[in-house]
């Protein structure tokens, strides 16, 4: 069987995110090489781009953005990528700005409509000489601040009658998945908030995604049980709705996540257990049922279209697609496949657990296509995050290598999501230590099982995973070479240069070691970095004594097919260095 060409991997560069629905109309954002484009689908007209040429939908609050548009019956509001202003579109007309010009220094996210007013409430981030300031604002004739004083805000959610507002806030050095608070206040006639009270959360409890049911009951996700589960707020108490040893949320790196929705008297939710996602429905009689769908990875965006639910699903044999599904399990895919693959060229990832030197961790093992005569060369991948995980979905980067005789292992080292709060906090004060040794211990486990050649092991990572690569090369001896894309290099200098959202993250994670790793690396190292990266500065990569490939015009991730093709070929050449 022929190896998967780099051109095939590069063609699959369109991403789907931020699903919303209004009546029978579905919206989503397509991340294309040219920018983020808002798309609308109806049964009568199919897929159509919504905005005029020159407009792209993206928020840069926290740099990671999200929550960049809001669709209503006749109206649409969106954050324009170029100037970060909020624009309004009425009845398909031309976009009109509703926020002041600020050269991109005032940014907006999590747009919500205040019922009965036509006004928006949202998160605003101001970049000024005094620093970066986050707040909740009401967008009326002039933006007015309605909540401030906390370091960060997320998810302003007005009640259906427009009389109350719920929202989430947190303060550094905590991240929202470490500790956050859910607040509730009354909305006055002038939009001002009164009677603010704490509903849930604290420094040792993460809360997220407040939403109101159609009958006006506030719901939210909390990890108070050790897992992100769903609760309802009734009569001053939190009542369990969907609970168990699984997650009903994803770490909120971006705004706009929605992992549960209401469908009449039923609640539908994405359930995560390790790398596996499923869609569940809680019926009116209290029973929770998993739907029989072929998708094993579901992005954290759900919406309701009539009696159906829309989401972005994928599996080990299928790239992500926008899906319209019935509760019965019947599904209709709204987006065409970017590439067509011979299923015989794909291997199935195998979830496994392994012991570490001081605990245990999780991984996905991809065997080489067609097997091997002996233990195969191994590519170990550390996920970006570090609070993230490897999903159980078609990953063409992995298959690019398995089709060339490599085994690939994706390591969900301690600190990853999908395994409960205790595991998620397992990286505290140990970043650069347990993530690196967990990757090394995964190799030892596979070598002992005859599933990897100990002399031909490469470690690969991007962003925070790139830092794991550097540390693994510095403190372990199991890797022959390393590859790091857009790597965090030095925690001290990165904390000073990182966006406000992340700047204090390292304070919670780093242990005794917090400096750079370059001086301790004695193995061949390939660094790949975009020269327009706004999250991890290029200058840090330049400081290392390593092979550096700079991608002109690229940001923190690669989106242009030509860049993907080039980088894949460079990575393959690196892992095939003579003597490895």
């Amino acid at each position: 069987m022929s190896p998967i060409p780099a051109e095939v991997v590069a063609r699959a560069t369109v991403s789907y995110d931020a699903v919303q629905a209004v009546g029978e109309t579905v919206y989503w954002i397509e991340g294309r090489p040219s920018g983020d484009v808002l798309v609308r689908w109806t049964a009568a007209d199919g897929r159509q781009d919504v905005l005029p040429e020159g407009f792209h939908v993206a928020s840069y609050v926290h740099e990671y953005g999200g929550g960049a548009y809001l669709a209503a019956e006749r109206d649409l509001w969106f954050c324009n990528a170029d100037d970060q202003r909020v624009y309004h579109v009425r009845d398909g007309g031309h976009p009109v700005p509703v926020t002041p010009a600020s050269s991109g220094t005032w940014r907006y996210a999590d747009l919500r409509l205040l019922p009965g007013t036509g006004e928006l409430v949202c998160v605003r981030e101001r970049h000024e000489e005094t620093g970066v300031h986050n707040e909740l604002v009401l967008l009326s004739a002039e933006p007015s601040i309605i909540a401030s004083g906390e370091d960060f805000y997320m998810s302003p959610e007005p009640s259906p009658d427009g009389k109350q507002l719920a929202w989430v806030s947190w303060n550094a050095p905590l991240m929202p998945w470490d500790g956050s608070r859910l607040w509730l206040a009354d909305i006055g006639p002038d939009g001002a908030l009164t009677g603010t009270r704490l509903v849930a959360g604290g420094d040792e409890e993460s809360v997220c995604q407040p939403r109101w049911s159609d009958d006006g009951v506030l719901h939210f996700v909390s990890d108070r049980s050790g897992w992100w589960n769903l609760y309802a707020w009734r009569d001053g108490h939190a009542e369990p709705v969907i609970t168990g040893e699984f997650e009903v949320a994803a770490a909120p790196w971006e705004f706009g996540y929605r992992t549960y929705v209401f469908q009449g008297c039923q609640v539908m939710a994405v359930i995560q257990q390790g790398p596996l996602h499923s869609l569940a429905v809680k019926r009116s009689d209290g029973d929770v049922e998993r739907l029989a769908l072929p998708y094993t990875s579901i992005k954290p965006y759900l919406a309701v279209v009539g009696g159906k639910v829309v989401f972005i699903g994928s599996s080990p044999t299928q790239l992500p697609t926008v899906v319209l599904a019935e509760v019965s399990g019947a599904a209709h895919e709204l987006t065409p496949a970017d590439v067509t693959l011979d299923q015989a060229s794909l291997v199935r990832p195998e979830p496994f657990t392994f012991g570490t030197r001081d605990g245990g961790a999780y991984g996905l093992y991809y065997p080489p296509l067609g097997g091997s005569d002996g233990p195969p060369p191994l590519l170990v991948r550390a996920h970006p995050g570090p609070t993230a995980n490897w999903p159980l979905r078609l990953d063409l980067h992995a298959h690019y290598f398995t089709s060339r005789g490599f085994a690939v292992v994706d390591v969900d080292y301690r600190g990853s999501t999908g395994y409960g709060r205790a595991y998620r906090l397992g990286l505290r004060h140990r970043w650069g230590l347990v993530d690196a040794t967990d990757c090394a211990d995964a190799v030892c486990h596979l070598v002992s099982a005859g599933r990897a050649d100990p002399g031909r092991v490469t470690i690969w990572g991007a962003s925070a995973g790139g830092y794991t690569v550097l540390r693994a090369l510095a403190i372990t001896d199991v890797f022959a070479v390393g590859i790091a894309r857009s790597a965090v290099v030095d925690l001290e200098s990165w904390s000073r240069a990182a966006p406000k959202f992340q700047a204090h993250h390292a304070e919670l994670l780093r242990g005794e070691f917090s400096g750079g790793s370059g001086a301790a690396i004695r193995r061949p190292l390939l660094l790949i970095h975009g020269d327009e990266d706004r999250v991890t500065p290029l200058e840090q990569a330049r400081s290392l004594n390593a092979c550096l490939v700079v991608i002109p015009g690229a940001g923190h991730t690669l989106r242009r097919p030509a860049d993907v093709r080039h980088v894949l070929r460079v990575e393959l050449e690196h892992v095939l260095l003579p003597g490895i």
Side-chain angles (χ1 to χ4, degrees):
M1 286 171 281
S2 301
I4 294 176
E7 288 77 9
V8 171
V9 182
R11 285 206 305 271
T13 54
V14 174
S15 62
Y16 304 106
D17 291 288
V19 167
Q20 293 186 28
V22 180
E24 299 292 326
T25 303
V26 181
Y27 294 83
W28 66 83
I29 291 177
E30 289 190 7
R32 302 174 186 168
S34 60
D36 290 339
V37 177
L38 187 62
V39 175
R40 176 180 57 230
W41 177 93
T42 63
D45 300 324
R47 298 165 61 240
Q48 296 176 325
D49 291 357
V50 175
L51 300 174
E53 186 176 349
F55 288 96
H56 293 98
V57 180
S59 167
Y60 297 136
V61 177
H62 296 174
E63 299 299 342
Y64 293 96
Y69 79 97
L70 176 66
E73 197 69 42
R74 298 178 59 191
D75 300 276
L76 173 73
W77 294 266
F78 69 95
C79 304
N80 187 42
D82 288 343
D83 58 13
Q84 288 297 285
R85 299 176 76 179
V86 176
Y87 285 74
H88 178 217
V89 177
R90 179 77 170 182
D91 290 332
H94 194 78
V96 176
V98 297
T99 56
S102 67
S103 301
T105 58
W106 286 18
R107 307 172 181 181
Y108 303 86
D110 261 0
L111 311 179
R112 301 289 190 274
L113 183 62
L114 197 60
T117 69
E119 299 174 338
L120 295 183
V121 58
C122 63
V123 175
R124 183 173 69 182
E125 182 175 84
R126 293 181 287 116
H127 292 244
E128 301 180 343
E129 291 184 0
T130 56
V132 179
H133 308 277
N134 296 72
E135 56 219 4
L136 294 183
V137 296
L138 182 67
L139 299 184
S140 51
E142 291 289 334
S144 59
I145 299 173
I146 57 175
S148 62
E150 304 289 305
D151 287 339
F152 301 98
Y153 292 87
M154 185 175 278
S155 303
E157 291 288 346
S159 59
D161 60 8
K163 295 181 178 180
Q164 293 181 299
L165 182 73
W167 71 92
V168 173
S169 71
W170 69 97
N171 291 306
L174 298 178
M175 299 296 280
W177 49 83
D178 294 312
S180 50
R181 289 170 170 80
L182 172 60
W183 303 93
L184 184 62
D186 301 317
I187 305 174
D190 59 353
L193 301 181
T194 61
T196 301
R197 55 270 194 198
L198 180 66
V199 172
D203 290 351
E204 300 300 326
E205 179 186 358
S206 169
V207 290
C208 59
Q209 295 190 52
R211 292 208 67 202
W212 299 84
S213 61
D214 294 341
D215 58 354
V217 177
L218 179 62
H219 289 65
F220 62 94
V221 175
S222 166
D223 67 357
R224 60 180 58 191
S225 70
W227 299 83
W228 270 320
N229 286 173
L230 181 61
Y231 298 86
W233 184 249
R234 288 190 176 91
D235 300 323
H237 300 283
E239 296 181 0
V241 177
I242 299 178
T243 59
E245 292 190 351
F246 47 72
E247 309 277 37
V248 190
W253 281 97
E254 299 178 6
F255 294 92
Y257 287 175
R258 185 164 291 178
T259 53
Y260 68 96
V261 291
F262 303 102
Q263 192 179 57
C265 56
Q266 300 182 142
V267 182
M268 303 192 74
V270 179
I271 302 295
Q272 180 184 2
Q273 292 175 296
L276 178 64
H277 294 87
S278 57
L279 195 60
V281 56
K282 181 167 185 177
R283 305 190 185 280
S284 56
D285 60 7
D287 288 342
V288 177
E289 176 187 349
R290 307 282 180 105
L291 301 190
L293 293 166
Y295 308 100
T296 55
S297 177
I298 301 175
K299 283 193 169 184
Y301 308 103
L302 293 183
V304 171
V305 179
K308 303 175 184 178
V309 62
V310 61
F311 59 91
I312 301 161
S314 55
S315 74
T317 59
Q318 182 175 9
L319 291 168
T321 183
V322 181
V323 180
L324 188 61
E326 299 179 12
V327 177
S328 65
H332 173 55
E333 295 176 358
L334 308 184
T335 51
D338 294 320
V339 296
T340 301
L341 293 169
D342 180 0
Q343 293 295 313
S345 67
L346 303 177
V347 296
R348 303 300 190 266
E350 306 166 10
F352 71 102
T353 60
F354 61 94
T356 67
R357 58 202 66 189
D358 58 351
Y362 304 87
L364 292 173
Y365 178 81
Y366 294 76
L369 182 64
S372 59
D373 294 334
L378 180 67
L379 177 69
V380 178
R381 302 196 305 176
H383 61 67
T387 307
N389 78 304
W390 286 108
L392 195 60
R393 68 183 180 209
L394 179 55
D395 189 315
L396 292 182
H397 181 263
H399 290 291
Y400 179 77
F401 285 94
T402 59
S403 68
R404 286 166 172 78
F406 288 81
V408 174
V409 62
D410 292 341
V411 181
D412 276 353
Y413 50 78
R414 282 168 288 178
S416 301
T417 51
Y419 305 93
R421 179 179 176 87
Y423 195 84
R424 188 170 75 242
L425 301 186
L427 206 58
R428 275 194 179 182
H429 309 302
R430 299 193 292 175
W431 191 17
L433 296 173
V434 298
D435 51 328
T437 57
D438 283 358
C439 288
D441 291 341
V443 175
C444 296
H445 172 84
L446 294 171
V447 167
S448 66
R451 309 198 77 183
D453 182 341
R456 295 185 293 167
V457 182
T458 301
I459 184 166
W460 178 100
S463 190
Y467 180 67
T468 301
V469 169
L470 303 184
R471 292 293 296 142
L473 293 176
I475 67 174
T476 75
D477 59 2
V478 303
F479 301 103
V481 296
I483 301 172
R485 295 187 188 181
S486 306
V488 172
V489 174
D490 174 84
L491 295 189
E492 293 285 357
S493 55
W494 176 72
S495 294
R496 293 191 296 270
K500 177 189 174 185
F501 175 63
Q502 273 185 289
H504 299 282
H505 194 194
E507 292 181 24
L508 280 178
L509 298 183
R510 65 185 173 205
E512 296 180 2
F513 179 86
S514 60
S517 302
I521 295 174
R522 297 291 184 267
R523 300 289 188 178
L525 172 63
L526 171 65
L527 298 175
I528 298 163
H529 221 100
D531 67 356
E532 295 183 7
D533 194 329
R534 295 151 63 114
V535 177
T536 55
L538 174 61
E539 289 70 24
Q540 293 189 16
R542 293 191 191 278
S543 69
L544 293 181
N545 181 23
C547 175
L548 174 62
V549 176
V550 178
I551 310 298
H556 195 56
T557 57
L558 301 179
R559 302 182 68 165
R560 297 176 304 204
D563 294 340
V564 174
R565 288 195 300 269
H566 174 59
V567 166
L568 284 173
R569 289 164 179 159
V570 170
E571 290 181 344
L572 183 60
E573 291 174 1
H574 190 67
V575 300
L576 295 177
L577 287 172
I580 297 174

